[in-house]
């Protein structure tokens, strides 16, 4: 398995977030991004997870709720990648994939766009 400290991985996630165009990040609302070492035991290969209410599903009722949560998992990402460059690329794909869920884009469309 490729070695990378949690701090180094968190920095890659932050860099991936910085590469999201500002016109999109301005539209993101009430969402927080986290890094965890491992995904839930029932899905050990999971690279990222979006939990919340997509922007497209929010209505007048949406107020006073906890932020949506995007989690990027370090362990499975490092296990599937062979180089630091692979980790950078995979982390970027994962971050974009989970942010797309925040915007209401489903997995089928993401796979078609190459962010599967």
């Amino acid at each position: 398995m490729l070695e990378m400290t949690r701090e180094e991985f968190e920095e890659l996630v932050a860099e991936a977030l910085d590469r999201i165009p500002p016109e999109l990040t301005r539209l993101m609302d009430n969402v927080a991004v986290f890094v965890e070492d491992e995904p839930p035991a029932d899905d050990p290969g999971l690279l990222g997870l979006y939990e919340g209410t997509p922007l497209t599903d929010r209505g007048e009722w949406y107020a006073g709720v906890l932020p949506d949560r995007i989690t990027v998992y370090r362990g499975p990402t490092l296990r599937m990648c062979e180089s630091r460059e692979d980790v950078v690329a995979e982390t970027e794909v994962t971050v974009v994939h989970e942010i797309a869920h925040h915007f209401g884009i489903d997995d089928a469309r993401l796979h078609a766009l190459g962010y599967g």
Side-chain angles (χ1 to χ4, degrees):
M1 181 171 101
L2 188 64
E3 294 293 324
M4 181 178 289
T5 68
R6 183 168 177 151
E7 291 77 22
E8 290 172 307
F9 190 79
E10 288 173 348
E11 183 61 30
L12 292 181
V13 171
E15 290 171 5
L17 287 166
D18 288 345
R19 286 190 288 276
I20 303 294
E23 53 272 16
L24 290 179
T25 57
R26 280 193 293 272
L27 298 173
M28 292 173 63
D29 181 49
N30 199 31
V31 61
V33 179
F34 298 91
V35 169
E36 297 289 340
D37 289 330
E38 295 296 333
D42 63 338
D43 199 355
L46 188 65
L47 303 180
L49 180 65
Y50 170 76
E51 299 169 284
T53 305
L55 294 174
T56 53
D57 293 345
R58 296 180 185 180
E60 292 178 19
W61 59 269
Y62 188 86
V65 299
L66 291 173
D68 291 2
R69 182 180 177 102
I70 291 173
T71 307
V72 181
Y73 298 106
R74 182 174 72 101
T77 303
L78 295 180
R79 285 190 291 275
M80 74 175 290
C81 294
E82 295 182 10
S83 69
R84 187 177 199 294
E85 292 76 25
D86 291 345
V87 175
V88 169
E90 192 58 53
T91 301
E92 187 166 319
V93 168
T94 301
V95 167
V96 168
H97 180 106
E98 302 311 329
I99 287 174
H101 286 320
H102 177 68
F103 284 101
I105 301 171
D106 66 16
D107 280 330
R109 181 69 177 136
L110 286 168
H111 283 271
L113 293 171
Y115 289 97

